C-alpha cells in the first residue's frame, strides 16, 4: 500500500457569506503529482492556502503525511496544537504565482535564510544545499544577484529553489507560470517536470493544460467550490465525463 | 564677527531641539502607527484623534499651548525649552506614525505569506523581512519631515527659546539691519543641505 501524503475530507471554507469550498475530499499518494484545474474563483488557490496554513478551514479534516492538521468535530474544523501545526507546515512547501522573493536579500540569502533560521543549519551546510539546487536549475551564476536583477522565469526558479532546500515532503504550486510569458513558462515547467521525475510529491494548480496532462498522475477539475470531476489525466483532459469539464477544457484548445 | 559667534551659539540650541525631537519622535511614531492599526477600537480612536489634532492645528499654536496651558491648569509651567521639545515630539510623532503606517500597509502581503510558509516566526519575519523593506520605503518621506523639522525649530523662538532664529531677530532689531536674519537663513540652508546628503547616502545604502 502506498503511503498517503495528503488526505482531505469534506473541507469547507467561507469568506463572509461566500462559500468558497463546499465539500472537498481527495487523497494524494507519495511520489505522485496531482494537478488541479478550474476557472478563476473555483476555490483552487484557497484549497492550497488551507493546506499550507495561510488560511484556516471552517469544516472538514486534513491529514498531512500521517499527522492530522485539523479534524472535524461537531461540524467544525478543530486544529491541532500550534507546535504540531508548525511541524506540519515544515512538511509542505508553497510556490506562489507572484514569486514573493525577498527583494532585500541576494538569491543566495533568499535560499539560505530559512534553512538557517528555521532548520538551524550552519551557514556552510545551508550554502552547500543552496548551491546544489541552484546548479540543478542552472542559476549558480545568479547566487549573488538580487531578485530585481532577474527575469520572471529566473525569479520563479529561485522561489522553487527556496522551497526545495527546506526539504518539504509535498510541494504545492499556485499557478506558478501565470505571471510569465510563454518562453519563461517553459523554463519553469521544465524544472517542475524534472522534480516529478525525481518522485517529488506535488500538487500543481495551473492553467497549462498540456503540461498538467503530461506530468500528473491524477487530475481534479474544480468549479464553484466543488470537485466536479477527477480522474486519470488521459481521461480528464482527453475524454471527460462531465459537460462542464468538457466545456472548460475545450475553451483552452482554441 | 561677534554676530557670527552669537548665531553659532543659537545654532547649537537649534541643533539640540532638532536631535532631541528626532530621538524621541522617531521611535514614538512607531507606537503611534501600531496604535492607529490596533485591533482595539478605543486605542484606534484615541490615536486617530491625537493625530487629527496634531496635524489639524498649527504647530505654532501647539507650542504656545504646551508652554501656557500647564500654567492655567496646574499653576506651574514647564521650562521654555522643555515645552518646546514636548510640542515638537508630539507633533512629529504623529506625522512619523502616519508615514510608518502607510509603509507597513504598502508592503505586499505576499512577503509575510512567503515568510510564514517557510516557517519563520512572527518576530523573525518582522525584524528581518518586514522592517528592512518598510524602512527603505519610508525613508524619502521621513527625510522630508526631518528637513521640515530643521526649519520648524525656528518656531521655538515664539515661546522664548533662545535659538538661532531668536538670536538673529534680536540682532536684527538691535542693529537696524535684516542682515542677521539672512545669515541665519544661510545657516538653516547649510544644516538642511547636510541632512539631505545624509538621507541620500542612506537611500543609496539601502538600494537593492
Amino acid at each position: 500500500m502506498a503511503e498517503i501524503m495528503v488526505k482531505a475530507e469534506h473541507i469547507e471554507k467561507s469568506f463572509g457569506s461566500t462559500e468558497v469550498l463546499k465539500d472537498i475530499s481527495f487523497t494524494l499518494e507519495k511520489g505522485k503529482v496531482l494537478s488541479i484545474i478550474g476557472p478563476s474563483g473555483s476555490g483552487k488557490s484557497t484549497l492550497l492556502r488551507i493546506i499550507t496554513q495561510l488560511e484556516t478551514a471552517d469544516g472538514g479534516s486534513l491529514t498531512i503525511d500521517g499527522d492530522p492538521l485539523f479534524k472535524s468535530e461537531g461540524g467544525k474544523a478543530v486544529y491541532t496544537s500550534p507546535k504540531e501545526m508548525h511541524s506540519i507546515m515544515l512538511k509542505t512547501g508553497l510556490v506562489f504565482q507572484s514569486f514573493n522573493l525577498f527583494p532585500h536579500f541576494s538569491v543566495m540569502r533568499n535560499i539560505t535564510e530559512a534553512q538557517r533560521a528555521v532548520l538551524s543549519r550552519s551557514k556552510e551546510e545551508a550554502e552547500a544545499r543552496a548551491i546544489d539546487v541552484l546548479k540543478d536549475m542552472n542559476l549558480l551564476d545568479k547566487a549573488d544577484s538580487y531578485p530585481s536583477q532577474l527575469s520572471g522565469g529566473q525569479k520563479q526558479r529561485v522561489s522553487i529553489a527556496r522551497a526545495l532546500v527546506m526539504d518539504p515532503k509535498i510541494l504545492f504550486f499556485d499557478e506558478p507560470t501565470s505571471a510569465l510569458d510563454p518562453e519563461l513558462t517553459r523554463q519553469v515547467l521544465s524544472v517542475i517536470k524534472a522534480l516529478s521525475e525525481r518522485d517529488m510529491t506535488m500538487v500543481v494548480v495551473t492553467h497549462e493544460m498540456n503540461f498538467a496532462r503530461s506530468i500528473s498522475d491524477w487530475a481534479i477539475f474544480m468549479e464553484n467550490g466543488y470537485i466536479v470531476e477527477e480522474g486519470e489525466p488521459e481521461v480528464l483532459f482527453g475524454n471527460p465525463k462531465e459537460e462542464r469539464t468538457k466545456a472548460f477544457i475545450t475553451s483552452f484548445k482554441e | 564677527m561677534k554676530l557670527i559667534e552669537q548665531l553659532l551659539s543659537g545654532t547649537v540650541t537649534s541643533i539640540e531641539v532638532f536631535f532631541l525631537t528626532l530621538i524621541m519622535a522617531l521611535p514614538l511614531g512607531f507606537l503611534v502607527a501600531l496604535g492607529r492599526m490596533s485591533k482595539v477600537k478605543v486605542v484606534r480612536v484615541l490615536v486617530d484623534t491625537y493625530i487629527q489634532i496634531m496635524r489639524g492645528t498649527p504647530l505654532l499654536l501647539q507650542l504656545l499651548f504646551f508652554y501656557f496651558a500647564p500654567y492655567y491648569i496646574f499653576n506651574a509651567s514647564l521650562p521654555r525649552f522643555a515645552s518646546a521639545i514636548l510640542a515638537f515630539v508630539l507633533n512629529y510623532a504623529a506625522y512619523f506614525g502616519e508615514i510608518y503606517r502607510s509603509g507597513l500597509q504598502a508592503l505586499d502581503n505576499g512577503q509575510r505569506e512567503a515568510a510564514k510558509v517557510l516557517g519563520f516566526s512572527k518576530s523573525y519575519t518582522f525584524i528581518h523581512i518586514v522592517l528592512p523593506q518598510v524602512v527603505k520605503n519610508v525613508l524619502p518621506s521621513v527625510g522630508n519631515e526631518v528637513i521640515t523639522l530643521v526649519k520648524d525649530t525656528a518656531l521655538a523662538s515664539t515661546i522664548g527659546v533662545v535659538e538661532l532664529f531668536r538670536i538673529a531677530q534680536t540682532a536684527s532689531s538691535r542693529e537696524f539691519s535684516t542682515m542677521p536674519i539672512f545669515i541665519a537663513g544661510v545657516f538653516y540652508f547649510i544644516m538642511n543641505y547636510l541632512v539631505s546628503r545624509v538621507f541620500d547616502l542612506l537611500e543609496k545604502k539601502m538600494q537593492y
Side-chain angles (χ1 to χ4, degrees), chain A residues 15-28:
Chain A
F15 290 116
S17 59
T18 319
E19 287 181 80
V20 189
L21 296 176
K22 286 162 188 160
D23 182 12
I24 302 292
S25 303
F26 71 92
T27 54
L28 176 63

Side-chain angles (χ1 to χ4, degrees), chain A residues 58 60 69-73 76-80:
Chain A
D58 298 334
L69 176 62
F70 55 87
K71 283 179 182 163
S72 176
E73 274 172 37
K76 287 223 162 90
V78 178
Y79 277 76
T80 179

Side-chain angles (χ1 to χ4, degrees), chain A residues 49 52-54 86 89-90 96 100-105 113-114 117-118 146 148 162 166, chain B residues 108-121 124 128-130 132-133 207-208:
Chain A
R49 292 169 60 85
T52 53
Q53 301 182 38
L54 290 176
H86 183 78
M89 176 143 47
L90 294 181
F96 298 86
N100 295 340
L101 291 176
F102 304 128
H104 56 307
F105 289 167
E113 189 80 358
V118 180
Y146 280 80
S148 61
R162 181 177 68 174
M166 300 301 283
Chain B
D108 180 8
N109 205 35
Q111 290 290 309
R112 291 185 187 89
E113 291 186 345
K116 189 174 181 206
V117 291
L118 285 168
F120 290 117
S121 67
Y124 195 95
H128 297 274
I129 309 290
V130 174
Q133 297 187 55
Q207 229 155 37
Y208 44 73

